[in-house]
Amino acid sequence: MKKYVLSTSAVILTAFGLITLFLSTSVIFDLFGIRAKEGNYVLFVVWSNFISSILYLLAAYGFTKSKKWTSTLLGISTIILIAAFIGLKIHANSGGIYETKTIGAMIFRIPVTLVFAIIAFFTINKQLNKTRE
């Protein structure tokens, strides 16, 4: 069961990371006309998503190899996203322009990242601690 959870998490996180990497990179570097389609994007949110995408891909590798640092990477990503969300709220409350879909995307992304961090902690870290005892 543990192997199934780890491999499924790795596959989902890889897909999530690759999609996030593609979209954030496309906005940052204005590839494929995606920047125009995104409308009023907030650059620091895009950069936080870009950084998180790298962390997702590293964490996916961590899931496949049962590396203890997997939950740490995902925890760091969660903190980065929460900080970006707080920054987005400050930006919005001070009259900055943004897309409302960005708030929805952040509300989705933060719990998803946190769930993967929890999965990593309980399937990898707790198991490694039990084998040492």
Side-chain angles (χ1 to χ4, degrees), residues 44-66:
F44 66 84
V45 172
V46 176
W47 273 103
S48 70
N49 288 337
F50 173 76
I51 293 166
S52 289
S53 71
I54 303 296
L55 295 175
Y56 293 155
L57 295 172
L58 292 171
Y61 173 78
F63 270 118
T64 62
K65 299 297 182 182
S66 294

Side-chain angles (χ1 to χ4, degrees), residues 4 7 15 25 29 55 59 72 82 85 90 105 108 110 114 127 131:
Y4 175 76
S7 60
T25 305
F29 299 111
L55 295 175
T72 303
I82 290 170
F85 186 68
I90 292 168
F108 172 77
I110 291 168
L114 184 60
Q127 286 299 104
T131 58

Side-chain angles (χ1 to χ4, degrees), residues 3-93:
K3 259 193 181 318
Y4 175 76
V5 170
L6 291 175
S7 60
T8 302
S9 295
V11 168
I12 294 169
L13 201 54
T14 298
F16 196 53
L18 288 173
I19 291 167
T20 303
L21 181 63
F22 172 76
L23 290 173
S24 59
T25 305
S26 296
V27 171
I28 292 168
F29 299 111
D30 196 16
L31 305 174
F32 313 109
I34 290 180
R35 184 183 286 181
K37 292 177 186 169
E38 286 300 311
N40 297 317
Y41 63 90
V42 181
L43 191 57
F44 66 84
V45 172
V46 176
W47 273 103
S48 70
N49 288 337
F50 173 76
I51 293 166
S52 289
S53 71
I54 303 296
L55 295 175
Y56 293 155
L57 295 172
L58 292 171
Y61 173 78
F63 270 118
T64 62
K65 299 297 182 182
S66 294
K67 297 293 186 180
K68 193 172 184 175
W69 43 258
T70 305
S71 60
T72 303
L73 288 180
L74 291 167
I76 291 168
S77 180
T78 303
I79 291 167
I80 290 169
L81 292 170
I82 290 170
F85 186 68
I86 291 168
L88 177 62
K89 293 300 282 179
I90 292 168
H91 173 78
N93 289 339

